[in-house]
């Protein structure tokens, strides 16, 4: 069910059990814009059915926040202009060359081109898989792009990210709302979950330049500025004490600098930054 953030902004909440991220809808006087197309045709169709029940202007644009499958595999279902940054476009090209029959999917999982969860979702939610061909985006941009929906401006910007190198955020100035996609999360490399430590502060700087009061995230749905500031503080506090691949040294450093032990979130982040040192040393 769509949730209403304001008179012009709606979102469909993430469903972690189905690997479905948050999807967004921004409405202007003339057109509407969608943020992320879902993890499958079925996810996209469910979203479109919800939108159909609203009295909103026609959907003209779909913006993909980054090239992870759960955010773009539904884009064939939209009769709209699909917008991506140039690096996202390059990754989508790779997916356009894939086949989606069971034999091919299993091969991609075996060779680590695709996760087992992705294969399961495709098999469940993608009809006519044997003939499926992922469409091409219509517009690519390098760094920033401004879209006017009719008295409703959306600013698209590619930002530095601890999650992927192709992250796009969408800012709606008059609402002080920003869609972050997954850019503020970590990533997994060689089975190690980590945050890209070198990109943490540049990422936060890129995001905080916008005057935002509400933040839509890919897998938590919505946070206000107070909640986001806590998240940033816990991340930066954890990052500051990690200087090597030693978890023990990082925890001791945290206790010395903060006169307390790390809370559960901070400990999770410390482990992730330690893992980043391991990944970078490999």
């Amino acid at each position: 069910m769509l949730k209403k953030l304001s008179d012009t902004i709606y979102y469909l909440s993430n469903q972690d059990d189905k690997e479905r991220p948050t999807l967004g809808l921004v409405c202007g006087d003339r057109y509407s814009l969608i943020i992320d197309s879902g993890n499958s045709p079925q996810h996209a169709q469910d979203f479109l059915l919800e939108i159909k029940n609203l009295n909103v202007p026609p959907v003209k644009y779909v913006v993909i926040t980054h090239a992870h499958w759960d955010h773009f595999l539904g884009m064939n279902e939209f009769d709209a202009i699909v917008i991506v940054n140039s690096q996202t476009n390059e990754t989508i090209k790779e997916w356009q060359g894939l086949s989606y029959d069971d034999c091919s999917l299993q091969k991609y999982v075996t060779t680590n081109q695709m996760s087992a969860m992705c294969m399961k979702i495709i098999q469940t939610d993608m009809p006519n898989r044997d003939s499926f061909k992922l469409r091409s985006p219509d517009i690519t941009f390098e760094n920033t792009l401004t879209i006017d929906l009719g008295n409703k401006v959306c600013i698209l910007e590619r930002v530095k990210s601890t999650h992927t190198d192709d992250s796009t955020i969408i800012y709606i100035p008059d609402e002080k709302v920003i869609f972050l996609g997954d850019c503020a999360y970590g990533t997994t490399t060689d089975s190690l979950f980590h945050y890209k430590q070198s990109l943490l502060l540049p990422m936060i700087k890129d995001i905080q330049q916008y005057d935002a009061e509400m933040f839509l995230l890919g897998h938590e749905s919505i946070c206000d500025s107070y909640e986001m500031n806590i998240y940033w503080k816990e991340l930066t506090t954890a990052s500051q004490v990690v200087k090597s691949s030693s978890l023990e040294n990082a925890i001791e450093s945290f206790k010395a600098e903060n006169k307390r032990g790390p809370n559960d979130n901070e400990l999770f982040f410390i482990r992730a930054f330690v893992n980043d040192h391991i990944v970078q040393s490999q």
Side-chain angles (χ1 to χ4, degrees), residues 177-188:
V177 170
I178 192 164
F179 285 83
L180 295 178
D182 290 359
C183 77
Y185 299 141
T187 188
T188 300

Side-chain angles (χ1 to χ4, degrees), residues 27-200:
C27 307
D29 288 346
R30 288 177 292 162
Y31 308 114
S32 297
L33 175 146
I34 281 172
I35 294 136
D36 281 331
S37 66
N39 72 352
S40 66
Q42 186 61 57
H43 189 194
Q45 290 166 19
D46 292 347
F47 188 37
L48 284 167
L49 189 60
E50 294 282 352
I51 294 172
K52 189 176 180 180
N53 294 326
L54 299 174
N55 183 25
V56 299
V59 173
K60 185 173 183 179
Y61 304 101
V62 176
V63 180
I64 306 299
T65 59
H66 64 293
H68 281 171
W69 66 272
D70 53 324
H71 294 258
F72 68 76
L73 275 183
M75 68 181 183
N76 283 24
E77 302 302 308
F78 296 90
D79 182 18
I81 296 168
V82 176
I83 304 173
V84 299
N85 71 50
S86 57
Q87 188 168 346
T88 298
N89 189 50
E90 291 305 308
T91 303
I92 286 177
K93 284 180 182 178
E94 297 174 10
W95 283 77
Q96 288 176 312
L98 300 183
S99 299
Y100 293 85
D101 58 276
D102 285 341
C103 183
S104 296
L105 293 176
Q106 187 58 60
K107 181 182 72 173
Y108 302 144
V109 172
T110 302
T111 57
N112 294 319
Q113 290 177 266
M114 180 182 291
S115 70
M117 174 60 81
C118 179
M119 178 177 70
K120 178 183 176 182
I121 296 296
I122 289 172
Q123 290 173 329
T124 303
D125 287 354
M126 188 181 288
N128 307 315
R129 287 186 291 113
D130 291 352
S131 60
F132 181 80
K133 175 74 174 177
L134 190 65
R135 65 174 285 186
S136 296
D138 302 289
I139 295 176
T140 62
F141 69 97
E142 291 301 323
N143 297 310
T144 62
L145 181 67
T146 299
I147 303 291
D148 187 353
L149 303 174
N151 291 320
K152 184 66 60 179
V153 168
C154 298
I155 299 172
L156 284 53
E157 182 181 5
R158 181 174 170 182
V159 296
K160 300 175 185 68
S161 169
T162 54
H163 185 67
T164 68
D165 294 330
D166 70 320
S167 292
T168 292
I169 61 173
I170 299 90
Y171 176 62
I172 303 94
D174 68 323
E175 303 273 6
K176 295 187 176 181
V177 170
I178 192 164
F179 285 83
L180 295 178
D182 290 359
C183 77
Y185 299 141
T187 188
T188 300
T189 304
D190 297 331
S191 301
L192 283 177
F193 178 79
H194 64 110
Y195 277 80
K196 298 174 183 177
Q197 192 174 31
S198 64
L199 293 177
L200 177 67

